[in-house]
Amino acid sequence: MSPATSHSPVWHPFTQHALEPVMKRIVRTEGAYLVDAQGNRILDAISSWWVITHGHRHPAIMQAIRDSSEAYDQIIFAEYTHEPAEALAAGLIDIAPTGLAHVFYSDSGSTCVEVALKMALGFFHNSGAPRRRVVVMEHGYHGDTIGTMSTGERGAFNAAYEPLLFGVDRLPFPTPGHEQDTLGAFETFCATGQVAALLVEPLVLGAGGMKMYPATVLAELKRIAERHQSLLIADEVMTGWGRTGTMFACEQAGIVPDILCTSKGLTGGALPLAATLCTAAIFDAHLSTDRRRTFFHSSSYTANPIACAAALANLEVWKNEPVAERINALSAMQEERLAPFRNNRHFADARRTGTIVALDLDVPAGGYLAEIGPRLRAFFRKRNLLIRPLGNVIYLMPPYCVTAEELDCVYSAIEEAAALAAVGSL
Ligand SMILES: Cc1ncc(COP(=O)(O)O)c(C=O)c1O
């Protein structure tokens, strides 16, 4: 039995327990930090898997959780509604790209994408002209349920489940100079008349390696979809809530997706909640006196009132605090520190979109399972930095409260790690 499993029955996500050391126990979170049982303060440079936006335990969000728990626990959402869900839906419609009119709640990034896929197929089914194909982008990641794995990149992480996965059509990633290949492939798929929807992460493909592409490509994909009456589903689970510099990444392309998926930063990262926003046309296609046209989806914890109250408080934080200014300042601080890495011979690429930065360590064998990944992680761990490279891709996605000094520490650790890796001493 490995040390990691000897003391705990807990099976951790994306964790090879045979290789990992015993998990550190976190006893408190605070701003940009996790505090462990020994009192070490660990800088959370990836916002605890991209969920924490303003910082851990934002006071207004925590207060809303305390207050709402005086009135609510879970309420069956197929039978009743409640103020936090109603107010939040109105608030989301308000801040989302204009044209999204309805909000369907769920509880994770994966489930809000599953909901989106079902909405898209349901739309065509109920319209009497079913379409069966879903188009996605190479290197995409949309979650770990069967449906979302089907739409994500195939590899070691889903090879065992292959028999359960459905087929999708894949666009090549729009690398610089090859954007037309992506657009041409989409046009060809759409020309079959069978494409229900394009499901895509706008501007940044997260788990696929923080791959970034320009807003002009996204805008053109939307135009092609419109020409063929196919839907565009924007998976903003990671990109939403300011990460790319705007509230939603779609704004930078000037597009209104037919369906928008949001989770992670929806509650500022404090509680699990997700929402799938859609146009009136999609809702109306399910509106009928014929009960067979109902949108048949639910989960027990749909629209948990306490999570909705946390999300409402998050909306207030965005209204009352200079969040956009913080995001601009963080983006500028990131750019300043990233710039020298663009000429650093240890890195094959260094890029940024908004607050998100990614650096590809130049190694002979890259990819998600690159053997350098765990060594980098162990190096950062020793320095009390929470950074989890995606193979050889070191990325940073800090909460918006991170300071210039904290970023300095992070970048000098990255520089040191790269230098050590280059001489085989990491
Ligand atoms: C773009 C995107 N979609 C969906 C998901 C799945 O979210 P969850 O892990 O909450 O199911 C993620 C998670 O990282 C994501 O980055």
Side-chain angles (χ1 to χ4, degrees):
M1 201 186 268
S2 77
T5 54
S6 58
H7 302 300
S8 170
V10 175
W11 193 343
H12 288 263
F14 266 72
T15 298
Q16 179 41 268
H17 283 284
L19 295 172
E20 293 289 329
V22 177
M23 292 262 173
K24 273 193 172 185
R25 225 164 253 237
I26 299 301
V27 293
R28 201 152 43 84
T29 61
E30 196 171 82
Y33 289 92
L34 310 176
V35 183
D36 74 12
Q38 285 71 45
N40 295 308
R41 288 164 61 77
I42 299 155
L43 183 66
D44 187 351
I46 59 161
S47 298
S48 276
W49 255 349
W50 324 341
V51 302
I52 301 295
T53 46
H54 315 293
H56 286 275
R57 287 198 301 120
H58 187 288
I61 297 174
M62 301 318 282
Q63 190 59 46
I65 292 171
R66 281 191 288 275
D67 291 347
S68 59
S69 70
E70 293 293 327
Y72 305 107
D73 52 6
Q74 180 62 29
I75 300 162
I76 179 173
F77 207 59
E79 193 76 21
Y80 301 105
T81 193
H82 49 74
E83 183 55 22
E86 294 292 337
L88 177 60
L92 289 174
I93 297 297
D94 231 30
I95 60 160
T98 309
L100 294 166
H102 293 274
V103 176
F104 192 97
Y105 289 111
S106 57
D107 38 34
S108 75
S110 301
T111 51
C112 72
V113 175
E114 293 273 352
V115 165
L117 291 169
K118 287 174 70 173
M119 277 181 179
L121 266 74
F123 169 76
F124 286 102
H125 178 85
N126 288 353
S127 308
R131 293 189 181 195
R132 305 191 185 285
R133 300 303 295 176
V134 173
V135 179
V136 300
M137 197 178 271
E138 179 192 19
H139 304 303
Y141 176 81
H142 301 286
D144 277 339
T145 52
I146 299 298
T148 56
M149 272 195 296
S150 301
T151 56
E153 185 76 6
R154 303 291 167 89
F157 17 83
N158 45 40
Y161 327 117
E162 183 69 35
L164 303 178
L165 307 183
F166 57 80
V168 294
D169 297 318
R170 293 176 196 276
L171 304 179
F173 179 79
T175 48
H178 294 89
E179 294 85 354
Q180 205 48 50
D181 296 349
T182 309
L183 302 175
F186 189 42
E187 186 79 55
T188 305
F189 288 135
C190 283
T192 63
Q194 278 302 306
V195 174
L198 168 66
L199 166 64
V200 71
E201 294 161 86
L203 305 192
V204 185
L205 272 55
M210 294 297 155
K211 293 185 182 299
M212 302 174 183
Y213 65 94
T216 45
V217 172
L218 183 60
E220 197 50 44
L221 288 169
K222 173 64 176 150
R223 269 192 285 278
I224 295 170
E226 265 170 20
R227 256 204 318 277
H228 294 276
Q229 287 97 45
S230 300
L231 304 176
L232 189 138
I233 304 170
D235 177 354
E236 294 249 16
V237 168
M238 189 272 285
T239 52
W241 303 98
R243 294 292 183 198
T244 69
T246 44
M247 174 64 90
F248 293 108
C250 281
E251 292 167 31
Q252 295 179 44
I255 63 158
V256 180
D258 301 282
I259 303 178
L260 184 149
C261 307
T262 180
S263 184
K264 294 197 188 270
L266 172 56
T267 60
L271 286 178
L273 183 69
T276 308
L277 280 63
C278 71
T279 58
I282 293 170
F283 178 83
D284 290 347
H286 292 82
L287 195 61
S288 169
T289 49
D290 179 352
R291 294 219 304 260
R292 284 170 303 182
R293 292 167 67 126
T294 303
F295 185 53
F296 290 111
H297 190 95
S298 88
S299 58
S300 310
Y301 287 102
T302 299
N304 176 268
I306 300 168
C308 287
L312 259 180
N314 176 42
L315 283 183
E316 288 302 306
V317 170
W318 276 84
K319 273 186 209 144
N320 302 331
E321 296 185 19
V323 181
E325 284 83 345
R326 276 180 211 145
I327 287 170
N328 289 339
L330 172 55
S331 303
M333 288 195 293
Q334 292 273 58
E335 181 56 38
E336 203 182 311
R337 284 154 186 79
L338 180 69
F341 284 85
R342 295 208 167 93
N343 304 314
N344 184 321
R345 68 196 159 84
H346 301 318
F347 293 92
D349 190 45
R351 56 193 175 276
R352 179 184 69 83
T353 300
T355 70
I356 308 169
V357 150
L359 302 111
D360 298 350
L361 198 59
D362 198 0
V363 291
Y368 185 82
L369 293 179
E371 152 288 331
I372 194 77
R375 283 193 277 133
L376 285 166
R377 191 144 62 88
F379 172 89
F380 294 129
R381 234 185 236 152
K382 277 198 215 119
R383 279 164 176 68
N384 285 330
L385 298 172
L386 171 56
I387 301 176
R388 286 174 61 95
L390 298 156
N392 62 315
V393 181
I394 303 171
Y395 73 90
L396 304 174
M397 202 188 297
Y400 308 148
C401 64
V402 75
T403 65
E405 294 70 34
E406 288 161 347
L407 283 183
D408 285 339
C409 273
V410 170
Y411 280 88
S412 65
I414 293 174
E415 200 173 355
E416 198 184 330
L420 287 172
V423 294
S425 305
L426 191 69

